[in-house]
């Protein structure tokens, strides 16, 4: 299944977007952040599963268990790409 940001709901007053998928079959899932690149920016991606510690990477392995909600949260951090600019006049 491929989802985009427009499939999510923005939580008013926050920077968070949330999508809940109900009635998911129990088992192991791989969730990948794929549309994170922005021209002129470097990006680092981290994720957490439930109350776990943040991990670096764009792919999370999560397990859905019977009667439980499994939460996977991604965070993208952007920094501007920079370089040098030199002018000469003769």
């Amino acid at each position: 299944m491929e989802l985009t940001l427009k499939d999510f709901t923005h939580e008013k007053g926050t920077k968070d977007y949330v999508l809940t998928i109900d009635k998911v079959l129990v088992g192991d899932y791989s969730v990948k952040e794929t549309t994170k690149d922005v021209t002129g920016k470097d990006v680092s991606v981290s994720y957490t599963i439930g109350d776990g510690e943040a991990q670096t990477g764009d792919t999370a392995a999560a397990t859905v268990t019977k009667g439980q909600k499994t939460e996977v949260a991604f965070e993208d951090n952007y920094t501007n790409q920079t370089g040098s600019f030199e002018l000469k006049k003769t």
Side-chain angles (χ1 to χ4, degrees):
M1 173 186 314
E2 188 169 321
L3 303 166
T4 64
L5 191 58
K6 62 184 170 186
D7 296 309
F8 290 67
T9 301
H10 180 250
E11 288 192 337
K12 193 172 186 171
T14 74
K15 63 179 183 171
D16 298 336
Y17 290 81
V18 176
L19 173 67
T20 300
I21 304 170
D22 293 318
K23 298 185 180 181
V24 174
L25 296 176
V26 298
D28 296 328
Y29 290 87
S30 178
V31 183
K32 183 172 183 160
E33 169 89 71
T34 59
T35 55
K36 61 192 177 303
D37 297 323
V38 175
T39 302
K41 305 270 186 183
D42 289 322
V43 62
S44 63
V45 179
S46 62
Y47 65 88
T48 56
I49 300 173
D51 293 330
E53 294 206 18
Q55 304 290 319
T56 301
D58 62 6
T59 304
T63 301
V64 174
T65 55
K66 182 179 179 181
Q68 302 294 314
K69 178 169 58 170
T70 301
E71 180 180 290
V72 178
F74 282 94
E75 183 174 341
D76 301 333
N77 291 300
Y78 294 93
T79 55
N80 291 325
Q81 296 173 344
T82 61
S84 297
F85 186 68
E86 182 178 294
L87 297 173
K88 290 186 178 183
K89 180 171 182 336
T90 55

